[in-house]
Amino acid sequence: MDPVAAEASFPIHSSERTWGRLAVFGNTASAAIATWCFITGGFVAYYVTGGRGSVAIIAGTLLGVFISLLAALPPATRYGVEAVRSTRPTLGVRGSWLTLALVLVILTGWNSVLTIFLGQSGAETLHALGVVDSSSGWGMVTGIGLLSCIATTVLLWKGPAALRLAGPAIAITVMVLALIMMIFLLTEFGWDRIFSAPALGPLPDEATNYMIVIELGIAGAVAWWPYIGSLTRHARDTRTAVVPSIAGLGLLMGVVLSIGLFAALVVPASAGNPTLFMIEAGGAPLGVVSLLFMILANVGTTMVGVYACALALKQVRAIDGVLSWRAATIVSIVPVVAVLVLVADPFMAHYGTFLAFAGVTLGPVCGMQIADYFVLRGQRLDIRGLYDDESPVYRYFGGFNPAGFVALAAGVTTYIVMLDPVHFEPGVAAFSYLSATLPAAVASGLAYVIVMKSVPGLLTRSLTTVRTDARDDGPAPMTEPSR
Amino acid sequence: MKPDLEAMLAQFDQHHLGDPLDRDSFMTLLIVALVIPVVALAAAWMWL
């Protein structure tokens, strides 16, 4: 593969895309599974029981994957674009800088969360195993976090080609370790106890409890939007990417979320993290399993996050011209190190707010992208408009597409009306039947189509004018199999 | 050396694009990630 295409702002040609199903599955699964699954699973236990909760969180995650994959995967596998560049049609050439800021903040936030989680839970595990005297020392947490940052940088040092091999290896190992954890839970506590355990702190209305869990799944999966383009652009074709991505980002993540749910229900003090009571019950062997799981799962996810972050940075031509791939990797990891060393505790104290920020913004982004790509453009983008900053196709008004910003405002407003994203309290009764991310995405998509069709010239001037593909003879999306 | 933008675009003008999302892949996505989860949610609500 042309390393410049893989590491910079140029697209990857179809002939250079080498990832098969295993590589796509491995990397999406590697990205999705991390210790945050335990934390979210522990949160689910507050609202519902094990049976309903496991179905709701897996199904909710799949629904979120439906939205984020439909938005990000088709343009990525067809045009080789990642998240930032894929929003040029919806937000404009300069408007897509907003996406860059959004992606950098969210990816840096996720990577910081993972690194701090790994530092904290790694220190606790080492303490429980008797390797260190104390688990609460700043130095221990920071040291483990820094080691994970170094490991991530080393893995990506020779370019994203490492992902193809490292992703599946990490994913398979983590799957085996997660299976051991699930077997431990079932043999130690039994199905009956897990499924009969009451929810820890449910709200009075059962339908609202159920929908909050579904919404957690949807919002968590929509947060994969910045990762999807960066990963699936390497897939050999669209068909190769679809099922492995659903399995990696949806099913597998849902299963690991269920581990956190079960652990929190039977041992509420664990808050969803089964590692400590696994060590108490099983000693060093299970402790090693837990430690390996945490290291591999978190480093695997951070690796994909840093790759996506570096790639997003290099979508700006001025940055691409100055930063090499290695420099972009370092620039992507430095803010994570800064958060870890300087503000780890305050940052984690506002973890919920950060999650809300990702959920509120990315659903609407997905909604308008789906409307734009499928409804308005029939899966046909202008390749010159995507890659040439001087092209007028996606410049709209001064480089900004007003339809995209109106749609974003409509989607964010809808979300906030449906659900208070900070306190996770429903704003209207309809939330219990509709969730918040789904209506936000629909509102954003509808507003986008209306404005694009209402403002004269907005749509017509941004439609593809140059034939970019010999097979592109007419607007016939989804009418024939790709092979 | 980085490829020239014009050369890259010219290559794409030939046949280097990927495939669109075809009907089969879309239906797979629709059924596995939308229909089955909605049915499962309804079933779990009624029976669990």
Side-chain angles (χ1 to χ4, degrees):
Chain A
M1 183 197 300
D2 178 1
V4 175
E7 298 168 7
S9 59
F10 291 97
I12 301 174
H13 293 174
S14 59
S15 58
E16 296 170 332
R17 298 174 196 165
T18 55
W19 286 18
R21 287 184 171 84
L22 180 63
V24 175
F25 170 73
N27 278 286
T28 51
S30 173
I33 300 174
T35 45
W36 59 33
C37 295
F38 295 154
I39 309 302
T40 306
F43 198 53
V44 170
Y46 276 90
Y47 297 97
V48 289
T49 56
R52 274 190 181 171
S54 53
V55 173
I57 196 66
I58 293 173
T61 304
L62 283 169
L63 291 173
V65 162
F66 176 77
I67 298 172
S68 54
L69 278 186
L70 198 57
L73 188 144
T77 51
R78 181 153 167 77
Y79 292 95
V81 291
E82 52 66 69
V84 172
R85 198 167 291 271
S86 74
T87 56
R88 284 192 169 200
T90 50
L91 294 173
V93 172
R94 288 181 176 157
S96 67
W97 294 348
L98 174 72
T99 322
L100 175 64
L102 197 63
V103 165
L104 292 182
V105 167
I106 289 173
L107 289 176
T108 300
W110 281 132
N111 291 337
S112 302
V113 166
L114 287 166
T115 305
I116 297 167
F117 271 167
L118 178 58
Q120 291 174 341
S121 48
E124 285 173 1
T125 306
L126 288 175
H127 176 60
L129 286 170
V131 178
V132 295
D133 293 334
S134 170
S135 64
S136 58
W138 177 86
M140 176 61 64
V141 173
T142 307
I144 293 172
L146 285 175
L147 280 176
S148 80
C149 289
I150 292 169
T152 302
T153 308
V154 169
L155 280 167
L156 287 172
W157 196 245
K158 290 190 174 178
L163 291 171
R164 187 184 173 197
L165 298 174
I170 290 174
I172 290 168
T173 311
V174 166
M175 278 167 58
V176 171
L177 297 172
L179 183 67
I180 294 172
M181 288 176 152
M182 183 66 96
I183 290 171
F184 166 79
L185 279 170
L186 294 176
T187 52
E188 184 75 9
F189 299 99
W191 283 104
D192 288 345
R193 188 171 164 193
I194 290 173
F195 282 89
S196 62
L200 304 180
L203 299 172
D205 180 34
E206 187 60 20
T208 303
N209 290 319
Y210 198 47
M211 188 52 76
I212 283 180
V213 174
I214 296 168
E215 173 61 30
L216 274 171
I218 297 173
V222 166
W224 295 128
W225 178 82
Y227 294 74
I228 291 171
S230 304
L231 293 176
T232 57
R233 69 200 282 262
H234 295 281
R236 289 192 189 116
D237 53 49
T238 306
R239 185 173 287 196
T240 300
V242 171
V243 173
S245 298
I246 298 171
L249 294 174
L251 276 177
L252 203 57
M253 184 180 172
V255 169
V256 181
L257 283 162
S258 297
I259 293 177
L261 165 65
F262 296 162
L265 284 171
V266 292
V267 185
S270 71
N273 188 345
T275 53
L276 291 183
F277 64 76
M278 280 178 68
I279 294 170
E280 286 175 15
L286 282 181
V288 172
V289 167
S290 304
L291 196 59
L292 272 177
F293 177 88
M294 283 187 289
I295 292 170
L296 289 175
N298 285 13
V299 169
T301 308
T302 310
M303 180 178 70
V304 176
V306 169
Y307 165 62
C309 196
L311 200 61
L313 271 174
K314 290 175 77 67
Q315 299 311 303
V316 179
R317 187 181 288 181
I319 297 175
D320 188 30
V322 175
L323 287 184
S324 66
W325 170 255
R326 290 177 178 177
T329 305
I330 292 172
V331 168
S332 300
I333 203 83
V334 163
V336 179
V337 173
V339 171
L340 172 73
V341 174
L342 301 175
V343 289
D345 287 340
F347 181 82
M348 292 307 284
H350 293 89
Y351 172 60
T353 309
F354 165 69
L355 273 180
F357 173 73
V360 169
T361 51
L362 293 183
V365 167
C366 289
M368 67 177 163
Q369 192 169 17
I370 292 168
D372 180 80
Y373 191 70
F374 289 99
V375 179
L376 297 181
R377 303 188 194 280
Q379 298 199 67
R380 195 155 294 115
L381 301 178
D382 188 286
I383 197 77
R384 189 171 291 274
L386 286 174
Y387 288 97
D388 184 355
D389 289 353
E390 307 307 318
S391 168
V393 178
Y394 300 133
R395 290 198 74 79
Y396 303 104
F397 296 103
F400 297 90
N401 182 2
F405 288 88
V406 170
L408 197 56
V412 169
T413 304
T414 303
Y415 190 106
I416 293 171
V417 167
M418 300 297 289
L419 180 71
D420 175 348
V422 177
H423 303 100
F424 241 62
E425 292 171 356
V428 292
F431 168 80
S432 300
Y433 307 98
L434 297 174
S435 82
T437 300
L438 289 179
V442 171
S444 172
L446 279 175
Y448 183 81
V449 171
I450 290 169
V451 177
M452 284 295 281
K453 289 198 168 185
S454 302
V455 178
L458 206 55
L459 177 60
T460 51
R461 283 205 300 264
S462 67
L463 289 174
T464 301
T465 53
V466 180
R467 275 186 64 182
T468 54
D469 184 350
R471 291 168 295 180
D472 264 358
D473 289 330
M478 292 191 293
T479 53
E480 61 197 79
S482 59
R483 288 279 186 270
Chain B
M1 184 177 173
K2 293 185 177 179
D4 176 66
L5 180 65
E6 283 303 321
M8 183 276 288
L9 291 173
Q11 284 183 327
F12 263 86
D13 283 348
Q14 295 169 25
H15 46 74
H16 280 90
L17 290 184
D19 302 307
L21 183 70
D22 61 65
R23 188 179 293 275
D24 288 351
S25 298
F26 176 74
M27 291 307 290
T28 303
L29 182 62
L30 187 76
I31 291 168
V32 177
L34 184 65
V35 177
I36 292 176
V38 169
V39 172
L41 284 171
W45 177 253
M46 286 188 286
W47 291 309
L48 290 180

